[in-house]
Amino acid sequence: MNIFRLAGDMTHLFSVLVLLLKIYATKSCSGISLKTQELYALVFLTRYLDLFTDFISVYNSVMKVVFISSSVAIVWCMRYHPLTRRTYDKDLDTFRHYILVGVSIILALLFHDRFTFREVFWAFSIYLEAVAILPQLVLLQRSGNVDNLTGQYVFFLGAYRAFYILNWIYRYFTENHYSRWISWLAGFVQTALYADFFYYYFVSWKNNAKLQLPA
Amino acid sequence: EENEKPHDEL
């Protein structure tokens, strides 16, 4: 565990906490894309298949459980919770996310480390995670105004993979650890998708103004 | 053949 990896995990954890806080405190999930949340639930459920077969550390297992349970809880709040499900901007959240699932399945079947059940699902989760933010970004762009907590949620979620890239670079030089090229490529795509958002986030932060995305 | 390496990252 190095400082970059820890920073990545913490920003990831923080993004989830900010999102749960937003839904709990404001009793609203407006501005949040259910499509993106469903994709994340699918990402964690398929990536952490090793939760019961490989023990790495208590930290590792706890984080896996946190990411699986929080993503499922958020989907539940948006779909079924009597108070919050009505605040979901259904009409703005029209991204055809099943296309992302389909493309990720095809990519995982073609490009993987080994043709085993677990490795194909792992590759699928990496590809899907790289693009899972797209419905959320489209929803924000459509609604224009972004509330503070939602803006912070997306910011921390984007920062997490950027820290992971630094962690892979660090591990490459210090441990001679060779992260799989699948993670490198998907990690870069994932971080690049946030470039626009990061730009407007920093501009609004510098000007101490409300975050607004151009139409 | 080497065994499947566990994924140590999240």
Side-chain angles (χ1 to χ4, degrees):
Chain A
M1 175 75 79
N2 59 65
I3 189 74
F4 302 112
R5 162 80 197 281
L6 185 66
D9 285 350
M10 289 305 114
T11 41
H12 193 184
L13 186 63
F14 206 68
S15 74
V16 174
L17 293 178
V18 166
L19 183 55
L20 287 169
L21 174 74
K22 178 210 149 74
I23 295 175
Y24 181 77
T26 65
K27 297 281 180 287
S28 161
C29 44
S30 81
I32 303 297
S33 164
L34 175 61
K35 307 275 174 91
T36 284
Q37 297 307 319
E38 287 177 345
L39 293 181
Y40 275 120
L42 191 57
V43 162
F44 298 130
L45 286 169
T46 50
R47 184 174 308 165
Y48 301 150
L49 290 172
D50 60 356
L51 188 56
F52 299 104
T53 55
D54 290 288
F55 178 77
I56 293 157
S57 64
V58 173
Y59 171 85
N60 199 285
S61 301
V62 168
M63 292 293 265
K64 283 174 176 170
V65 171
V66 167
F67 289 134
I68 292 174
S69 49
S70 60
S71 60
V72 172
I74 291 163
V75 169
W76 182 81
C77 281
M78 297 189 74
R79 272 182 173 271
Y80 307 112
H81 192 286
L83 270 180
T84 44
R85 68 171 186 197
R86 275 172 278 163
T87 58
Y88 163 48
D89 303 322
K90 198 175 179 193
D91 299 335
L92 294 174
D93 194 20
T94 54
F95 195 98
R96 287 196 281 271
H97 63 329
Y98 53 84
I99 293 175
L100 301 177
V101 177
V103 171
S104 301
I105 290 173
I106 294 167
L107 281 175
L109 288 171
L110 292 174
F111 307 106
H112 44 255
D113 261 15
R114 288 157 158 258
F115 193 64
T116 61
F117 187 76
R118 219 180 65 187
E119 284 299 319
V120 171
F121 271 105
W122 182 84
F124 165 78
S125 82
I126 293 289
Y127 298 136
L128 188 61
E129 187 188 348
V131 291
I133 196 64
L134 284 174
Q136 178 66 63
L137 292 175
V138 168
L139 194 156
L140 289 185
Q141 194 122 37
R142 284 196 180 162
S143 52
N145 275 321
V146 186
D147 69 76
N148 277 337
L149 288 173
T150 305
Q152 277 154 13
Y153 162 67
V154 177
F155 174 75
F156 285 118
L157 196 56
Y160 131 73
R161 219 49 175 174
F163 278 121
Y164 256 74
I165 294 173
L166 296 176
N167 153 58
W168 295 328
I169 295 170
Y170 181 86
R171 289 187 77 175
Y172 178 78
F173 285 111
T174 57
E175 299 167 32
N176 221 1
H177 170 86
Y178 196 84
S179 268
R180 304 165 205 221
W181 65 270
I182 288 172
S183 337
W184 280 95
L185 196 66
F188 272 108
V189 170
Q190 186 169 341
T191 307
L193 290 180
Y194 287 85
D196 233 34
F197 178 87
F198 283 148
Y199 172 77
Y200 291 106
Y201 187 88
F202 280 118
V203 168
S204 78
W205 177 74
K206 215 179 84 190
N207 300 333
N208 210 359
K210 199 170 159 54
L211 174 60
Q212 274 188 310
L213 301 176
Chain B
E1 208 178 338
E2 80 177 307
N3 284 325
E4 242 178 303
K5 272 180 286 176
H7 297 278
D8 66 339
E9 291 179 344
L10 292 164

